[in-house]
Amino acid sequence: MFQARPTKTTDEAANTPRREGRLPRAWRAAHEPAAGVPRWARRVAYTVPLVVLPSGIWRLGVLFAADKRGGSIEDWAMNGYVVFLTLISEVLAFTAVGLVARWGEVFPRWMPGLGGRRVPAAAAVIPATIGATILTLVFTVIAIITTVTQSKTNGDPLPANFPSKAGSWETVYFYASYVPLVLWGPMLGILTYAYWRRRRSATAGPLMPSTTGSAR
């Protein structure tokens, strides 16, 4: 005779661990903090992609505009450029998370030849420092000067079709989307300095061997 298969009780079903999906597992691994990272640094790093996001949303709106301001550039090429620029901006913004996450100190296991090895501090600090400097120069210094003077870097006035001169709610929307970018460079610079100090303190040891427990 065939025996009936035992069924799980309600309590057993509730206590059975669920298998974590691939996407949640990848998300958790990407945001797993490294040892010794302060909470404020994690908050700053997680905020960087959100600071860049509004400008990307504004930029994607160009896809639906009748006048893409592309000049002689074909619409399909302009659309591709806008999408690519938006995606690459978010990818670059997410690299700030690497300055507080475990994968920013130890290469992930899936990387051939490097998986499980320590990330050299200079390999993260040097590119991040260069990036923070460029972002601060472009989106903080030059952007503020351009906004205040309403002129280009060469001194010529901004063109009449520049987004900030659209007027009404369009101008407000443009500034609301791009003003957060002023923080991108300084935030990355702060995270880079904190990363460098943390890695430096983790590798620095005592100059002289400890004499504790020496012969009495």
Side-chain angles (χ1 to χ4, degrees), residues 145-160 162 165:
I145 294 175
T146 299
T147 302
V148 173
T149 62
Q150 288 294 294
S151 61
K152 301 178 182 179
T153 54
N154 60 2
D156 293 341
L158 294 175
F162 196 75
K165 295 191 174 185

Side-chain angles (χ1 to χ4, degrees), residues 20-27:
E20 189 177 24
R22 186 174 299 178
L23 186 59
R25 187 167 60 250
W27 176 272

Side-chain angles (χ1 to χ4, degrees), residues 29 60 129 140 144 201 205:
L60 290 176
T129 302
T140 305
I144 291 177
S201 62

Side-chain angles (χ1 to χ4, degrees), residues 78-142:
M78 190 65 180
N79 291 343
Y81 166 75
V82 167
V83 173
F84 173 77
L85 183 60
T86 301
L87 292 177
I88 198 66
S89 296
E90 280 302 318
V91 170
L92 291 175
F94 185 76
T95 59
V97 177
L99 297 173
V100 300
R102 190 174 183 275
W103 58 268
E105 297 188 10
V106 179
F107 288 109
R109 293 286 181 184
W110 54 264
M111 296 186 68
L114 295 174
R117 296 185 179 182
R118 297 283 291 179
V119 176
V125 171
I126 293 176
T129 302
I130 295 174
T133 303
I134 295 175
L135 291 170
T136 301
L137 179 63
V138 174
F139 293 121
T140 305
V141 178
I142 295 180

Side-chain angles (χ1 to χ4, degrees), residues 190-206:
I190 292 172
L191 290 171
T192 303
Y193 179 70
Y195 176 92
W196 173 76
R197 288 203 60 180
R198 187 175 69 254
R199 294 294 302 275
R200 184 186 181 192
S201 62
T203 56

